[in-house]
Amino acid sequence: MRIALRLARLGAGMTHPNPMVGAVVVKDGQIVGKGFHRGPGTPHAEAVALAEAGRRAEGSTLYVNLEPCNHHGRTPPCTEEILSRGVSRVVMAMRDPNPHVRGGGMERLREAGLRVEEGILREQAVELNRFYLSLVLRGRPWVTLKMACTADGRAAGPDGRSKWISGEEARRAVHRMRRESDAVMVGSGTVICDDPELTVRMVPLDGAKAPLRVVVDSRLRVSPDRRIFNPAEPPVLVAVSKDHDRNRSSLLRKSGVEIVECGEGDAVDLRKLLSLLGERGVAHLLVEGGPMLAGSLIREGLVDELVVFMAPLLVGSDEAPAWVRGMNTPSLSQAIRLRWVEMKKSGEDLMLRARPLDGWDPHH
């Protein structure tokens, strides 16, 4: 099962909105077939592993990190492939909560006389596919908030510019995060101050689809000459309120930018925006700032994970913005509590990963 999970991880950034799945076929104590899912429309992991096993699949045990599907989609049901190959036992890490599967695959195999076991390394399997589970169970993407800050918690210098707080290795890590995301989102302030492209550059795509670029700009303050609007690909979506600059939206639409009104008020309804992205199959949304957007997402309970790159720098200026703003927490007793998930060095910087203590838990 550990091998199946490692194989599944090879599909990172390629499979969404499908899950990452790996499969291993074992016969007489020997691995005779391995496979993983490479993306929508391609053969499922079970089919790849069984094809590699060939005739040796008869009487074998199939290990897979997610329940085999029992419905027709772009590919045939995995259950039928398993049965046709003569597999005698299936060991799966977890059930698939997708309404099209949800125990159906397991039941089909048991009805046909196969031994089916579940729960082996379930925690690791859930963690691997937390993006997929968020999309299936909540209808919205898993939101990772990435921020870079100095050792005294500043997201930019007194002039408002943040290039470059973090070092090259941390920036490369962020590009890997982009590669494994379906969409990358920033606020208008980041586009105005830093003029980012939000493309994957420092690491190869390796078969992954470049993420959709999303800008939250309630009044549409961002100028059409910003670099994010220059490359035609990947596409750009700008979320605005009803009270936005109509002339500017017309100009942006002509250049291929999608403008979406989210909410009835004078600010973008972030919850509605996440639902809209979920409807488009966005399973993992990477948010790259700035401080006001970060504060809004955290305040509304929409952040599932924080990744903070802390640089060995001290600014010491009251005019330099903190990495999160606008939450207006009245006291420490009412602060949002986090639990640390991971801490490690990334070049000269520290990478700190945390999740809200009372946030959504895919393991439950």
Side-chain angles (χ1 to χ4, degrees):
M1 189 62 78
R2 288 193 178 93
I3 295 170
L5 287 164
R6 285 200 297 270
L7 287 166
R9 188 74 180 81
L10 296 176
M14 297 187 289
T15 64
H16 299 160
N18 292 354
M20 290 180 276
V21 183
V24 177
V25 182
V26 176
K27 179 73 174 289
D28 299 328
Q30 300 293 320
I31 292 176
V32 295
K34 296 187 293 185
F36 70 97
H37 182 47
R38 294 179 179 271
T42 66
H44 287 189
E46 299 94 321
V48 176
L50 290 168
E52 184 177 292
R55 292 182 179 178
R56 294 173 295 179
E58 188 171 351
S60 68
T61 295
L62 172 69
Y63 293 84
V64 61
N65 62 292
L66 191 69
E67 179 182 6
C69 66
N70 189 42
H71 65 283
H72 283 273
R74 297 187 190 182
T75 57
C78 290
T79 51
E80 298 309 310
E81 180 71 14
I82 293 168
L83 295 175
S84 69
R85 294 282 184 169
V87 173
S88 61
R89 176 172 170 249
V90 173
V91 181
M92 64 187 201
M94 62 177 289
R95 298 191 190 194
D96 189 340
N98 189 315
H100 295 296
V101 186
R102 197 176 288 170
M106 184 173 63
E107 289 174 10
R108 174 74 181 94
L109 295 173
R110 281 180 173 162
E111 287 171 358
L114 273 70
R115 286 183 293 152
V116 181
E117 301 172 28
E118 62 171 311
I120 308 299
L121 299 184
R122 182 183 182 279
E123 292 293 305
Q124 293 92 322
V126 169
E127 185 66 19
L128 176 74
N129 273 315
R130 62 191 185 278
F131 309 147
Y132 168 75
L133 294 173
S134 176
L135 187 61
V136 169
L137 297 173
R138 297 190 294 177
R140 74 160 179 87
W142 176 277
V143 176
T144 300
L145 173 62
K146 188 283 302 182
M147 299 296 292
C149 70
T150 61
D152 54 344
R154 304 297 173 175
D159 60 357
R161 297 189 179 277
S162 60
K163 289 186 176 180
W164 294 104
I165 287 179
S166 54
E168 184 174 347
E169 183 54 40
R171 295 199 297 275
R172 185 174 291 108
V174 172
H175 280 262
R176 283 194 292 269
M177 292 170 67
R178 287 182 185 176
R179 179 195 173 275
E180 296 183 6
S181 303
D182 301 305
V184 181
M185 187 167 83
V186 295
S188 57
T190 297
V191 177
I192 291 169
C193 291
D194 292 344
D195 196 16
E197 291 182 49
L198 296 184
T199 54
V200 179
R201 299 184 303 280
M202 296 182 76
V203 296
L205 278 171
D206 283 340
K209 184 180 178 181
L212 169 73
R213 296 173 291 171
V214 181
V215 179
V216 178
D217 189 357
S218 296
R219 297 184 179 276
L220 201 48
R221 300 185 300 140
V222 175
S223 171
D225 66 1
R226 298 283 86 181
R227 291 197 304 167
I228 193 172
F229 302 129
N230 286 334
E233 293 292 334
V236 180
L237 182 153
V238 180
V240 299
S241 68
K242 282 194 172 182
D243 186 22
H244 69 275
D245 188 324
R246 305 281 172 175
N247 291 329
R248 185 162 286 179
S249 67
S250 178
L251 284 173
L252 287 171
R253 281 193 175 101
K254 288 178 181 177
S255 62
V257 175
E258 183 178 2
I259 308 295
V260 177
E261 286 189 10
C262 281
E264 300 298 321
D266 58 0
V268 169
D269 184 331
L270 295 172
R271 198 172 297 274
K272 183 175 180 179
L273 175 58
L274 293 187
S275 294
L276 182 151
L277 293 174
E279 291 170 4
R280 298 181 178 211
V282 173
H284 184 205
L285 173 65
L286 176 63
V287 181
E288 296 197 28
M292 291 304 295
L293 178 59
S296 297
L297 288 164
I298 294 172
R299 185 177 63 246
E300 294 189 33
L302 299 176
V303 173
D304 297 301
E305 188 167 81
L306 295 92
V307 177
V308 180
F309 291 92
M310 183 177 289
L313 300 172
L314 291 172
V315 176
S317 170
D318 292 339
E319 296 177 5
W323 69 264
V324 59
R325 301 174 69 185
M327 290 175 57
N328 302 318
T329 305
S331 66
L332 281 177
S333 63
Q334 293 175 274
I336 293 173
R337 295 190 176 276
L338 309 173
R339 61 180 178 90
W340 297 115
V341 176
E342 183 182 10
M343 291 171 274
K344 67 178 183 180
K345 287 199 71 178
S346 181
E348 294 300 313
D349 305 314
L350 284 179
M351 191 280 284
L352 308 172
R353 188 187 301 271
R355 293 178 187 170
L357 199 60
D358 60 352
W360 182 74
D361 188 350
H363 297 274
H364 296 158

